Amino acid sequence: MAAGGTATPEDAPDRTRLVVLVSGTGTNLGALLEAAQDPAWGADVVGVVSDQAAAGALGRARAAGVPTDVVPLDAHADRSAWDQALTQAVLAHEPDLVVLAGFMRLVGPAFLARLGGRVVNTHPALSPSFPGVRAPADALAYGVRVTGATVLLVDEGVDTGAVVAQTAVPVLDDDDVASLHERIKAVERPMLVDVVGRMARHGWSTSPTNPRKVLLP
């Protein structure tokens, strides 16, 4: 069985199929591709989809022999049409698990209706604190002494999904936004690789007493 209780294709019964969504240079994608070289990790990246034709991550995927698709927002009549097209592009790769790795768009209702519950994302803060794209800057402005990184299940909100894992990062007195964000990313990447591997190998569930708490065996 694949992650989340879904059967894998017969030709790869023990490997979870990952599709990764990207918008930028693809450092998290690179870490996932490297991890997939280890048979014990339990997953294969079978497709990479981007909203940006110039995303550097697409080059990483192609160099690794992974099929890629580009679904630009401006090629569609509206966000609903784009969301439908994105959904179909991802489903074409028959994923067991979808990872948003620096994907800078919110997925919509069509996407979540077909893939909800098996989509993970990272956030550079300890959710539910500081949602949105300015999380490190907001943490500095608020004056917190500890922030961090979160892996979460994607829902319809902005960084509001159920928490899968978190790692704390201290805020140093001489931090600026760039230095803080770099230290967050340094813990975010290995945490993502570890969590995705565990989900791939063992599946996941939600707590019977708290549906916002994701349980990893």
Side-chain angles (χ1 to χ4, degrees), residues 89-101:
V90 172
L91 288 172
H93 298 289
E94 300 180 341
D96 299 309
L97 183 63
V98 179
V99 181
L100 309 190

Side-chain angles (χ1 to χ4, degrees), residues 76-197:
H76 296 84
D78 52 30
R79 287 194 68 92
S80 178
W82 172 80
D83 187 45
Q84 293 278 0
L86 180 70
T87 303
Q88 293 307 310
V90 172
L91 288 172
H93 298 289
E94 300 180 341
D96 299 309
L97 183 63
V98 179
V99 181
L100 309 190
F103 188 64
M104 301 307 291
R105 303 282 186 188
L106 292 176
V107 297
F111 191 96
L112 291 172
R114 297 295 302 275
L115 293 158
R118 51 186 169 127
V119 184
V120 297
N121 193 15
T122 61
H123 180 59
L126 295 176
S127 296
S129 299
F130 310 120
V133 298
R134 289 179 42 85
D138 290 344
L140 280 176
Y142 200 86
V144 297
R145 307 306 296 177
V146 177
T147 185
T150 300
V151 177
L152 45 81
L153 290 178
V154 174
D155 64 8
E156 65 279 2
V158 178
D159 304 315
T160 57
V163 171
V164 182
Q166 292 182 309
T167 301
V169 174
V171 180
L172 305 180
D173 289 340
D174 60 351
D175 264 331
D176 58 19
V177 174
S179 66
L180 178 58
H181 200 182
E182 283 303 312
R183 288 189 298 105
I184 292 172
K185 288 190 288 186
V187 303
E188 174 187 83
R189 195 168 300 125
M191 179 173 62
L192 177 65
V193 169
D194 175 66
V195 166
V196 170

Side-chain angles (χ1 to χ4, degrees), residues 13-24:
D14 299 319
R15 303 285 288 186
T16 290
R17 296 173 62 86
L18 302 182
V19 173
V20 184
L21 273 59
V22 296
S23 293

